[in-house]
Amino acid sequence: MAVQKQTADLAGLAILTKERQKQLALLLSRVWAWVFLATLVLFFVVSVRQTSGGAVNFLTVRNSQNILVAITPVFLLGLGQTFVIIAGGIDLSVGHMMSMASVVSALAIRGVYNEGAPLFISVVAGFLAAVCATAAVGMAHGTIIAKLKVPAFIVTLGGSFIMRGVALLLSDNTTVIGLPPGVRDYGNESLLYLIRGEGGGIYFLNRPEVSGALLRSMDRIFPYPVVLTAIAAAIGIFVLKKTAFGRYTYAIGGNREAALRAGIPVDRHVIKLYMLSAATAGIAGFLSTLRYTAGSAVIGEALLMSSIAAVIIGGVSLFGGAGSVTGTVIGALIIAVLTTGLVMLNVQAFWQFIVVGVVVILAVLIDQSRDLIMGRMESE
Amino acid sequence: MEQTAVEIKQGAQTREPMLRVHQLVKRFGGLTAVNKVDFEVYPGEVVGLVGDNAAGKSTLIKCISGVHQPDEGEIFFQGQRVRFSRPMEARDAHIETIYQDLALAGNLNVGANIFMGREPQKSYLGGLIKVLDEGFMLAESQKIMGRLGIHIPDFSQQIETLSGGQRQAVAIARAVYWKAQLMIMDEPTNNLGVVEQRQVLELVQELRQQNVPVILISHTLPDIFAVTDRIVVMHRGHKVTEKKTSETDSQEIVQYMVGALDDRRDSYL
């Protein structure tokens, strides 16, 4: 009797610690990206100071804003992609989709403005043109994927080529210029301006009229594109976590057949997801047009890989069913911090690619080892 | 007291069947998978459907659950003639099928699975913004699991972390929650451990207590004998016999399954 009780107690203890191990593994896999990001920032703060002899500081207001501006397009491309991949799909067209949107919005802004519309109306027209054009293409992608059962990889690969061609055709293979000069302000001005020292201060919305050294020391905090992207991120987090739309996305990625049997309109939802992915790429294209006061048919080309990398580093499973928008924000931040930090360390730019590549593979390895640990615990 | 309740229930059985299948035929090309089958299920009854592979039992239940459309014959459910062109229509009529692959999303928690496709939402700003009502889903799923006597350690966990038996229980709880009037279970104890098999069988008994009739398909005769009231045996598309569970044994049933016994043939003789 006593022996029996003892072994039962021991077994209970083993279960407890196993349970705790499991929770630890789960917690670690959930927070590792945060930890990694923090470590990365710390590393660059120390190493940048050391290599520059204390002259350069990594963690300045200006540098932090530069990083935010840099990740804006990567994150926006990754935002729609996050939804698509969680539902078990993939959208390879977002890079060229962004280019197409950049050209379309530049043409729209120029056209509407030249018709005599005010600047603000022209910019809004550019936004609508970019979003509508991309959403229409996304709808075509989604329809072919959902209704005609062509693999998403193929459809969006083809779509990527088509968007590239369309962007080059529409722009006549040159940068679309001749936009009203005020467009620049929408893409580069910010919510807050900070000038330190004599004659300085904090300015809200209105850029102070300064010149010379004061202008050079002026920091732009939360540029409009960053604000718009932050709003998009907040909406993305809300929709994925709190709404039926988000729940359907996870359900389809978790078990498509189950979602179908549960009466979820799977085909319609998949179409919406590709529209969403295309539209966030459209917003990225629109913002790049504002930022450079020009439409470019090649602006998004290099960003596809980075955006998928951000999504994967952020913990979205390519098998579908798992991931979050917050993860993608962190993924994009990690890539931007890496890139900026390495530049500030005067490391040759090509190393960025190598480091990002290693981090992507590492991220997936960590995810898999969690599943492995969990699986082993289950089977024990 | 309980005795009388059972008697009343059995009295009710002689009146109105919940499900009546009449002369059902389903062909696939030249093959007749189900051949003129008659078959009834009464309220609060567990009917075992057994037969060797390719006996036609899966095809038969797929005709009932709307996956297949029968070529001949009729199906009556709750007194009404029904023709389901899709599984959803059968579900809307409260015929729930628990599939072997469970039809659950492993990446979602218990509540999300029970309410999948029918999520309750809270409206804000006059219906402009709708948010999932997680609190309601959690409370309701705890209630239904409690009612069925199923213990789930953590309702917030993704169900892929649960055991096979617990997942099976979630699937059954979902069907019960959505007011299943007939439950079809296709090999529910496959791939389960011994303890979990027993839990699922207890759940079948629980369903009978709740007056939900069950059609149970299984290769495991001990399971069939443990929980059913009646056993229907199929062989090569035909129903070869139908016995009260209390009036037969596994040896006899096996002889029907392999075709050594056949009530139709024997009645001709």
Side-chain angles (χ1 to χ4, degrees):
Chain A
M1 250 332 244
V3 174
Q4 223 166 37
K5 192 180 179 314
Q6 212 168 35
T7 44
D9 279 354
L10 273 177
L13 201 71
I15 287 165
L16 190 76
T17 49
K18 210 190 285 174
E19 196 60 35
R20 196 171 285 169
Q21 277 172 8
K22 204 155 98 176
Q23 276 171 359
L24 201 74
L26 210 74
L27 187 75
L28 215 69
S29 69
R30 220 171 268 163
V31 300
W32 83 268
W34 289 99
V35 175
F36 185 74
L37 180 60
T39 318
L40 214 55
V41 171
L42 202 70
F43 167 77
F44 282 124
V45 167
V46 174
S47 59
V48 167
R49 180 167 297 158
Q50 230 149 44
T51 50
S52 67
V56 184
N57 187 358
F58 181 74
L59 213 59
T60 59
V61 171
R62 181 166 296 179
N63 198 30
S64 72
Q65 296 306 308
N66 284 343
I67 288 175
L68 288 181
V69 170
I71 69 160
T72 299
V74 174
F75 170 73
L76 281 172
L77 294 191
L79 176 60
Q81 187 83 270
T82 302
F83 281 78
V84 168
I85 297 182
I86 287 175
I90 183 95
D91 189 347
L92 297 177
S93 70
V94 291
H96 290 300
M97 188 77 75
M98 174 184 170
S99 306
M100 187 275 279
S102 171
V103 171
V104 166
S105 61
L107 290 173
I109 292 171
R110 194 173 69 186
V112 172
Y113 187 76
N114 287 349
E115 289 293 316
L119 179 64
F120 179 73
I121 300 293
S122 312
V123 171
V124 169
F127 176 81
L128 291 177
V131 169
C132 293
T134 48
V137 179
M139 187 191 250
H141 283 166
T143 307
I144 297 169
I145 292 162
K147 300 279 186 196
L148 305 179
K149 311 290 174 207
V150 182
F153 190 96
I154 307 294
V155 174
T156 57
L157 180 70
S160 184
F161 275 97
I162 295 169
M163 284 310 102
R164 185 181 194 178
V166 168
L168 289 168
L169 280 171
L170 287 177
S171 67
D172 217 0
N173 194 19
T174 62
T175 309
V176 180
I177 49 170
L179 272 61
V183 165
R184 199 190 166 283
D185 293 344
Y186 284 95
N188 294 277
E189 295 311 327
S190 61
L191 273 189
L192 292 169
Y193 300 89
L194 174 68
I195 301 175
R196 291 194 192 75
E198 195 77 21
I202 293 184
Y203 304 85
F204 180 66
L205 278 176
N206 289 313
R207 180 177 43 168
E209 295 297 333
V210 292
S211 57
L214 279 181
L215 182 60
R216 276 195 297 279
S217 79
M218 182 175 76
D219 283 322
R220 292 182 168 85
I221 303 176
F222 302 131
Y224 294 140
V226 171
V227 174
L228 193 66
T229 306
I231 293 171
I235 294 174
I237 290 169
F238 172 79
V239 168
L240 189 57
K241 273 202 137 98
K242 300 284 182 190
T243 69
F245 186 90
R247 182 57 50 80
Y248 290 180
T249 307
Y250 281 112
I252 292 169
N255 187 345
R256 191 174 186 280
E257 192 60 35
L260 260 178
R261 285 181 191 166
I264 292 175
V266 172
D267 287 354
R268 194 145 38 103
H269 192 78
V270 167
I271 294 171
K272 284 182 193 165
L273 291 176
Y274 285 94
M275 289 174 73
L276 175 72
S277 171
T280 60
I283 295 173
F286 165 73
L287 290 179
S288 80
T289 294
L290 296 189
R291 189 169 172 213
Y292 302 114
T293 333
S296 160
V298 292
I299 187 85
E301 202 172 311
L303 291 173
L304 168 69
M305 291 303 187
S306 299
S307 73
I308 293 183
V311 171
I312 291 171
I313 292 172
V316 176
S317 164
L318 271 184
F319 300 112
S324 69
V325 173
T326 326
T328 302
V329 173
I330 299 168
L333 273 172
I334 286 175
I335 293 176
V337 166
L338 263 176
T339 318
T340 331
L342 291 174
V343 169
M344 291 177 86
L345 284 178
N346 289 324
V347 176
Q348 206 182 3
F350 308 124
W351 280 98
Q352 295 165 15
F353 301 124
I354 294 170
V355 175
V356 170
V358 170
V359 173
V360 166
I361 295 171
L362 211 66
V364 174
L365 271 177
I366 289 174
D367 249 22
Q368 283 185 350
S369 63
R370 176 208 43 188
D371 292 345
L372 209 72
I373 292 169
M374 305 284 279
R376 204 167 51 214
M377 284 174 178
E378 284 302 322
S379 61
E380 257 171 24
Chain B
M1 221 17 223
E2 216 171 304
Q3 202 72 34
T4 29
V6 171
E7 274 166 20
I8 289 165
K9 211 192 283 175
Q10 279 171 348
Q13 280 184 14
T14 54
R15 290 211 311 272
E16 184 71 29
M18 195 66 129
L19 175 82
R20 189 158 75 86
V21 173
H22 180 64
Q23 291 289 299
L24 198 86
V25 176
K26 178 66 189 174
R27 299 188 195 91
F28 295 107
L31 176 86
T32 306
V34 176
N35 203 342
K36 294 192 174 166
V37 170
D38 289 316
F39 161 60
E40 283 105 35
V41 181
Y42 293 88
E45 187 186 36
V46 180
V47 176
L49 188 57
V50 298
D52 215 346
N53 290 331
K57 50 193 195 310
S58 279
T59 308
L60 175 61
I61 63 129
K62 280 177 178 165
C63 287
I64 298 168
S65 64
V67 176
H68 295 322
Q69 285 69 51
D71 295 312
E72 287 170 32
E74 296 166 315
I75 299 171
F76 297 89
F77 186 62
Q78 294 179 312
Q80 300 278 322
R81 177 148 188 232
V82 289
R83 289 190 75 90
F84 303 127
S85 49
R86 289 179 306 125
M88 268 316 283
E89 292 176 11
R91 277 193 69 191
D92 290 342
H94 300 288
I95 296 177
E96 293 275 352
T97 310
I98 309 288
Y99 295 93
Q100 283 171 1
D101 58 12
L102 300 180
L104 300 172
N107 60 333
L108 299 178
N109 65 27
V110 175
N113 268 291
I114 287 179
F115 286 91
M116 195 198 292
R118 301 181 254 205
E119 289 82 359
Q121 300 177 46
K122 283 185 288 192
S123 286
Y124 294 96
L125 300 178
L128 200 65
I129 296 175
K130 285 186 180 151
V131 178
L132 291 174
D133 194 345
E134 302 281 1
F136 181 78
M137 285 192 260
L138 175 66
E140 288 294 295
S141 46
Q142 280 171 336
K143 223 186 287 174
I144 184 74
M145 297 307 260
R147 211 177 91 199
L148 294 175
I150 306 154
H151 174 69
I152 298 286
D154 182 358
F155 276 79
S156 69
Q157 268 193 359
Q158 306 184 339
I159 62 160
E160 64 196 2
T161 64
L162 302 179
S163 71
Q166 286 169 331
R167 283 204 297 269
Q168 186 74 257
V170 172
I172 293 167
R174 174 165 71 181
V176 172
Y177 184 84
W178 293 105
K179 311 245 179 321
Q181 300 293 317
L182 172 66
M183 191 91 87
I184 300 170
M185 301 171 85
D186 193 353
E187 300 282 359
T189 54
N190 264 16
N191 312 317
L192 293 184
V194 178
V195 180
E196 297 183 327
Q197 283 181 14
R198 207 180 58 223
Q199 284 170 346
V200 169
L201 294 179
E202 279 168 8
L203 216 47
V204 172
Q205 309 251 27
E206 184 63 38
L207 289 176
R208 175 172 29 209
Q209 293 290 315
Q210 316 242 350
N211 222 20
V212 179
V214 178
I215 301 174
L216 178 67
I217 297 178
S218 181
H219 274 101
T220 320
L221 283 184
D223 288 0
I224 292 284
F225 275 91
V227 292
T228 61
D229 301 298
R230 217 145 41 81
I231 300 174
V232 170
V233 185
M234 289 189 70
H235 182 67
R236 293 190 183 161
H238 293 279
K239 184 174 98 174
V240 289
T241 193
E242 181 175 338
K243 299 264 179 203
K244 277 195 168 171
T245 308
S246 54
E247 292 168 3
T248 183
D249 56 36
S250 52
Q251 218 168 354
E252 189 185 23
I253 293 296
V254 168
Q255 284 188 302
Y256 278 108
M257 284 170 72
V258 298
L261 286 173
D262 187 336
D263 287 355
R264 298 170 309 136
R265 184 182 57 209
D266 300 342
S267 65
Y268 301 149
L269 291 174

